[in-house]
Amino acid sequence: QAQPVESGGGLVQVGGSLTLSCAPSDGSFRGSSVAWFRQATGKDREFVAAWRWSGGSNQYLSDSVKGRFAVRRDNAKDMIHLQMNDLKLEDSAIYYCASGRPILSSLRQTSSYSYWGQGTKVDVSS
């Protein structure tokens, strides 16, 4: 497992796109699941997406972003990217990357991840 570092946040208009990236600051993400969570001001941290290192389906998305966001792995660079399209005002939040080895049923829980990045801010404006 490895300590994640996020990049790619910023300001974007409604309907725009942004890609967040997560890289291991030490070690490797190989064998780990890497998830994206977000936390808006005054709200709890919520699951957004995850890439699970396992056979079968690797990409998991929350219902609120399904159809707009995608998570993919760059094998060559050992990075996880969160592609965000058709952004909405409610997508504004600090986005955190986390790594761990949760079982499938716990993939969406913050407590399942041992390592967290410092977060990157996404602001969607009208």
Side-chain angles (χ1 to χ4, degrees):
Q1 303 187 55
Q3 182 72 36
V5 177
E6 308 95 338
S7 61
L11 178 64
V12 63
Q13 290 189 322
V14 169
S17 298
L18 204 60
T19 299
L20 305 183
S21 298
C22 181
S25 63
D26 55 1
S28 170
F29 284 150
R30 182 173 292 273
S32 298
S33 293
V34 178
W36 289 95
F37 290 80
R38 67 186 181 187
Q39 189 166 18
T41 303
K43 295 189 176 181
D44 292 334
R45 194 168 296 190
E46 65 171 355
F47 172 81
V48 176
W51 177 271
R52 186 165 183 258
W53 191 281
S54 68
S57 176
N58 299 101
Q59 180 180 205
Y60 298 84
L61 297 166
S62 69
D63 289 342
S64 62
V65 305
K66 206 167 288 184
R68 301 188 296 122
F69 290 13
V71 59
R72 61 180 176 87
R73 176 177 172 81
D74 183 334
N75 287 323
K77 297 182 179 179
D78 194 18
M79 293 177 70
I80 303 296
H81 302 288
L82 181 67
Q83 175 67 45
M84 305 185 294
N85 300 318
D86 189 24
L87 283 160
K88 303 177 180 181
L89 292 174
E90 53 264 38
D91 293 319
S92 295
I94 296 176
Y95 284 70
Y96 297 91
C97 182
S99 68
R101 294 180 179 175
I103 57 176
L104 183 57
S105 61
S106 301
L107 197 68
R108 292 170 169 79
Q109 299 173 14
T110 57
S111 58
S112 298
Y113 296 88
S114 303
Y115 299 94
W116 290 81
Q118 79 288 352
T120 186
K121 191 174 184 183
V122 173
D123 278 318
V124 183
S125 65
S126 57

